[in-house]
Amino acid sequence: METGLGTGSWLEDTRASYDTVADSYAEQTRHLLDETPEERAVLAMFADMVRVQGGGTVADVGCGTGRITAHLRQLGVDAFGIDLSPGMIAVARREHPGLRFDVGSMTDLALADASVAGLVAWYSLIHVPDDVIQPVFAHFRRVVRPGGTLLLGFHVGDESRLIQGYAGHPVKLVVHRRQHDQMIASLNDAGFAIEACRTLTSAESKLGGIVLARRQATDPAR
Ligand SMILES: C[S@@+](CC[C@H](N)C(=O)[O-])C[C@H]1O[C@@H](n2cnc3c(N)ncnc32)[C@H](O)[C@@H]1O
């Protein structure tokens, strides 16, 4: 039976869906951080970890309409955003003029090796199928400099769900929920050491998983 959860066209479906909802997404999330002090605290911790490591550029991968990128800039982080959806990037550029936003995919990051001091993937891995997580983490490791900091936000749980509507727009989005153990094992395999894990109750009353990790200097054991 076709469940709609297949992985084949997830990139195209995800891109097209966010292109369709970009303006509505910006409306609905513009003030979300004001309501989530725990999330602001985590972002502040990340900003401080980057700072004590000497600072540098940070990539917000799956930045959407740029609200986290802009918040990190307010915290003194030299952040820029990357997103799969040209529609989301157009809104990010409009909402945050003067900041850098690029179209790109975390499955094929067009960034040089060890070129960023930190990387954030804030609820953007939620659409990545299980069998693509490890290659994505390998990309993250490649672009983050040794000792650099990684921050992940994701939905905690075990199931995957097909979303077919958002703010009155038709979409085809699969949202994957994951457990911390699963993320930690994949990060360790990719060469990241875990610094902190938390579970947050977000404004939407969904469990939010947070992992802060550091890129190890040596290659992961094969
Ligand atoms: C739930 S939104 C989160 C956006 C933003 N991080 C925030 O917190 O507002 C998920 C975002 O991830 C992006 N995304 C999904 N798959 C991606 C990929 N392979 N590469 C880059 N961005 C991706 C989507 O286009 C979307 O903007």
Side-chain angles (χ1 to χ4, degrees):
M1 192 181 77
E2 174 56 59
T3 60
L5 297 175
T7 63
S9 58
W10 72 274
L11 268 179
E12 291 73 17
D13 290 341
T14 303
R15 183 189 292 116
S17 296
Y18 278 102
D19 279 350
T20 303
V21 304
D23 284 306
S24 304
Y25 186 92
E27 277 309 310
Q28 296 203 351
T29 61
R30 187 168 292 119
H31 302 296
L32 211 50
L33 275 179
D34 297 339
E35 301 160 23
T36 52
E38 319 87 351
E39 298 201 346
R40 293 201 307 274
V42 169
L43 292 164
M45 187 172 11
F46 170 79
D48 215 30
M49 288 168 72
V50 171
R51 187 184 57 77
V52 299
Q53 289 291 322
T57 309
V58 163
D60 176 10
V61 178
C63 64
T65 53
R67 68 191 183 100
I68 302 297
T69 321
H71 185 75
L72 289 171
R73 299 283 301 202
Q74 284 172 9
L75 294 174
V77 177
D78 182 15
F80 71 101
I82 299 173
D83 200 278
L84 177 67
S85 155
M88 294 292 262
I89 288 295
V91 174
R93 288 175 180 154
R94 188 185 71 209
E95 298 251 326
H96 309 288
L99 301 195
R100 174 184 162 194
F101 294 103
D102 301 337
V103 175
S105 176
M106 65 177 80
T107 55
D108 187 22
L109 276 181
L111 297 174
D113 294 1
S115 60
V116 295
L119 189 150
V120 178
W122 196 253
Y123 295 92
S124 51
L125 289 163
I126 61 174
H127 303 300
V128 177
D130 280 346
D131 61 345
V132 187
I133 287 284
Q134 209 61 53
V136 164
F137 283 172
H139 263 293
F140 288 180
R141 183 178 194 281
R142 181 184 66 73
V143 303
V144 174
R145 73 186 183 203
T149 311
L150 178 72
L151 170 60
L152 306 182
F154 54 97
H155 292 311
V156 176
D158 296 306
E159 79 285 11
S160 299
R161 202 154 60 93
L162 176 65
I163 311 279
Q164 292 182 291
Y166 178 90
H169 302 282
V171 295
K172 187 177 178 191
L173 282 172
V174 178
V175 175
H176 302 281
R177 294 178 185 277
R178 298 190 165 97
Q179 298 292 346
H180 280 89
D181 289 357
Q182 187 184 349
M183 296 302 245
I184 289 168
S186 297
L187 285 170
N188 286 156
D189 285 352
F192 287 94
I194 306 306
E195 298 266 316
C197 293
R198 296 187 65 181
T199 304
L200 307 179
T201 305
S202 77
E204 297 169 86
S205 304
K206 292 172 187 158
L207 289 184
I210 302 293
V211 176
L212 279 155
R214 194 166 298 291
R215 197 263 214 204
Q216 293 177 304
T218 51
D219 283 339
R222 298 278 168 213

